[in-house]
Amino acid sequence: MNASGPGQEAAPTLAQLTTIGVGGPVARFVEPESEADFIDAVHAADRAGMPLLVIGGGSNLLAGDAAFDGVVVRDRRRGIEVLPAAETQSGQHADAGEGLVTVRADAGVNWDDFVAFCVSSGFMGVEGLSGVPGTVGASVVQNIGAYGQEVATSVVSVRVLDRASGEVDRLGRDDMRFGYRSSLLKSSMYAAPAKPADSYFPTPRYVVLSVTFALRRGTRDEVAFGQLAKALGVRVGERMPIGEIRRAVLEVRAGKGMLEDPGRYATPWMRGCKDKGNVPIEGMDEVNAPGNATGNASGDTASSDTAGPAMAGAPDFDRHSCGSFFMNPILASDVAQALPEDAPRFDATQPNGQPGVKTSAAWLIDHAGFHKGFKVRPDAHAGLSSRHTLALTNRGGATAADIAELARTIQDGVERAYGIRLVPEPVVVGMDLR
Ligand SMILES: Cc1cc2nc3c(=O)[nH]c(=O)nc-3n(C[C@H](O)[C@H](O)[C@H](O)COP(=O)(O)OP(=O)(O)OC[C@H]3O[C@@H](n4cnc5c(N)ncnc54)[C@H](O)[C@@H]3O)c2cc1C
């Protein structure tokens, strides 16, 4: 287990561990290399009553500028295992059936490495989630979704450490209570939307150790999303090779600045977090080229760069974000009725289980007067992405306070215009963005 903290190696800042590149120093950083060490690290922090942040790719985290006075744990395991058919049929993974393959991945596996593995193995079901940053462990925390797919559809079970009992447990898909960007795990951290619960936050009660997926064997899958179909030149519902679907997803995402910056994997604290061999994200080639790496090869030494991702080429600040910053609001029908006629409306279920209407956070933001590229002041270091209304970005040198100022300005403006308070999608640590 690699550990750093007072009297040991230097610890990173959260700016160095997150895609948006802001956040203060951490008191102690631990990188367990086995499941037993991972469990020990969580137990030790909880027993000592220290704040615990289990971090993956840091792509759904906005951390404050003050020090995180606790332990940050990052799973160093990268195992992906195709389970034998006998195990699949034994009932251990009862949901898996004919034509399905069961694959287990460690929490620490980079999500897009997992997708690349599945696509190249001829396993269908996650190719639409190509290029979503982060890890397998966190994918089930917020039930990642994009281009007509959600991870929930492919999950069979999740092996977790329950911090309440201290026991390792198996949660089946139904136990996970997946919803729109939500799960049992995510809700265990919150008392109300964006209001951290008294215990566990900023890590769920259940720490993900590994995830077991059921995927379909095959090489041609349905194109489930209009924008993707357009990029592929086909109709929605048509079947295309999953490799081509993956390529199209990555292209569409690149056009919106919705891929992470590959340059971050050349920085000392991120090196080794992604498999370089998978060619999964456009730009990785440059990162892997000799001479482009920064820092030493071990990845253990603190970087002199404290301001976030170091770049392999020219920085694409549109990618220095947490992805979509606000959730699409799910409203009671009377609230939705009050919106202008042209506001998007989709059937959805409210958190209380009642039927509701989902609208678009991007539409609300844009129609409240905050357009792509918006900044609070012309010289501000934080701004909306120039390619995506929902992405709050670090334009270089931003602090967490700069991002928070931008977020609040948008929340206040949308509330003034439409009476709806937007809720941040990322886990906000050390700041209050309600
Ligand atoms: C450019 C960009 C594009 C994005 N596009 C999408 C998208 O299309 N769809 C989408 O759904 N999301 C998207 N996101 C958000 C993000 O990629 C996902 O939420 C992702 O799952 C976060 O993974 P992570 O490993 O980076 O989590 P982190 O940011 O490291 O952590 C987020 C939360 O998960 C918890 N967590 C991490 N690992 C574990 C574990 N092993 N066990 C328990 N809890 C854990 C953390 O404690 C924290 O509470 C995007 C983000 C960026 C930056």
Side-chain angles (χ1 to χ4, degrees):
M1 173 147 52
N2 283 355
S4 54
Q8 295 164 297
E9 292 171 55
T13 63
L14 281 163
Q16 291 167 317
L17 301 179
T18 57
T19 48
I20 196 161
V22 301
V26 307
R28 187 170 160 75
F29 181 61
V30 183
E31 281 200 292
E33 293 180 32
S34 68
E35 186 184 275
D37 282 352
F38 191 6
I39 292 170
D40 281 353
V42 173
H43 277 328
D46 280 347
R47 267 198 303 266
M50 294 182 79
L52 168 71
L53 173 58
V54 171
I55 198 168
S59 62
N60 206 27
L61 270 181
L62 176 64
D65 295 313
F68 180 74
D69 199 13
V71 185
V72 176
V73 179
R74 187 170 68 181
D75 183 10
R76 217 184 165 98
R77 297 169 307 143
R78 309 277 181 260
I80 303 177
E81 182 189 11
V82 179
L83 298 182
E87 200 172 341
T88 302
Q89 284 156 13
S90 70
Q92 186 182 348
H93 307 296
D95 300 22
E98 210 178 320
L100 294 180
V101 58
T102 313
V103 185
R104 183 167 51 213
D106 292 333
V109 172
N110 174 274
W111 172 259
D112 197 65
D113 286 351
F114 176 70
V115 176
F117 171 86
C118 293
V119 169
S120 63
S121 306
F123 304 157
M124 308 191 298
V126 288
E127 64 280 352
L129 300 174
S130 292
V132 175
T135 51
V136 165
S139 71
V140 293
V141 174
Q142 81 142 355
N143 182 21
I144 57 168
Y147 302 106
Q149 280 179 351
E150 270 188 346
V151 76
T153 316
S154 305
V155 170
V156 175
S157 64
V158 182
R159 184 172 162 85
V160 294
L161 170 65
D162 180 355
R163 296 167 67 198
S165 67
E167 301 292 325
V168 172
D169 207 349
R170 173 191 181 275
L171 298 174
R173 181 173 36 212
D174 291 345
D175 303 321
M176 287 291 290
R177 290 194 228 143
F178 286 121
Y180 163 65
R181 299 297 167 272
S182 70
S183 70
L184 169 73
L185 277 53
K186 189 157 185 185
S187 51
S188 73
M189 291 193 279
Y190 293 101
K195 182 175 185 247
D198 290 338
S199 5
Y200 308 121
F201 188 87
T203 297
R205 166 179 161 179
Y206 304 94
V207 171
V208 177
L209 302 172
S210 62
V211 182
T212 301
F213 300 87
L215 301 160
R216 287 165 287 125
R217 284 186 192 277
T219 51
R220 295 174 80 85
D221 208 354
E222 256 180 38
V223 180
F225 203 80
Q227 217 174 3
L228 206 53
K230 198 171 158 205
L232 284 160
V234 299
R235 282 187 306 276
V236 172
E238 248 180 81
R239 290 191 171 273
M240 288 296 287
I242 50 177
E244 280 186 41
I245 295 179
R246 172 169 167 73
R247 226 181 339 272
V249 169
L250 291 174
E251 263 171 40
V252 172
R253 294 189 74 98
K256 295 179 179 177
M258 277 288 159
L259 291 175
E260 66 183 319
D261 189 329
R264 71 189 299 243
Y265 293 104
T267 63
W269 289 105
M270 291 307 296
R271 191 189 300 270
C273 289
K274 185 163 182 57
D275 183 342
K276 296 175 190 168
N278 275 335
V279 207
I281 289 184
E282 147 275 322
M284 280 303 283
D285 288 350
E286 294 102 89
V287 175
N288 297 333
N292 271 339
T294 58
N296 71 11
S298 73
D300 291 332
T301 311
S303 167
S304 57
D305 158 34
T306 53
M311 304 302 310
D316 180 353
F317 293 125
D318 282 344
R319 294 185 179 197
H320 294 198
S321 76
C322 304
S324 299
F325 194 87
F326 295 109
M327 311 261 277
N328 288 324
I330 299 180
L331 310 166
S333 17
D334 56 327
V335 180
Q337 255 166 22
L339 285 173
E341 215 168 286
D342 56 337
R345 291 173 170 83
F346 309 95
D347 290 341
T349 307
Q350 296 180 65
N352 61 11
Q354 296 298 310
V357 178
K358 182 156 86 176
T359 189
S360 156
W363 187 96
L364 294 172
I365 292 169
D366 197 51
H367 286 74
F370 306 103
H371 308 303
K372 288 172 189 157
F374 170 81
K375 287 179 168 184
V376 172
R377 287 174 299 282
D379 61 347
H381 296 285
L384 285 182
S385 162
S386 69
R387 288 179 270 172
H388 200 296
T389 318
L390 257 190
L392 273 62
T393 59
N394 179 348
R395 310 309 296 177
T399 61
D402 295 330
I403 305 286
E405 182 188 24
L406 175 64
R408 287 194 193 103
T409 303
I410 290 169
Q411 283 172 308
D412 293 348
V414 167
E415 192 167 16
R416 264 196 310 275
Y418 299 111
I420 296 168
R421 188 81 185 165
L422 292 176
V423 175
E425 186 186 293
V427 177
V428 179
V429 184
M431 293 189 297
D432 189 351
L433 281 185
R434 263 175 285 164

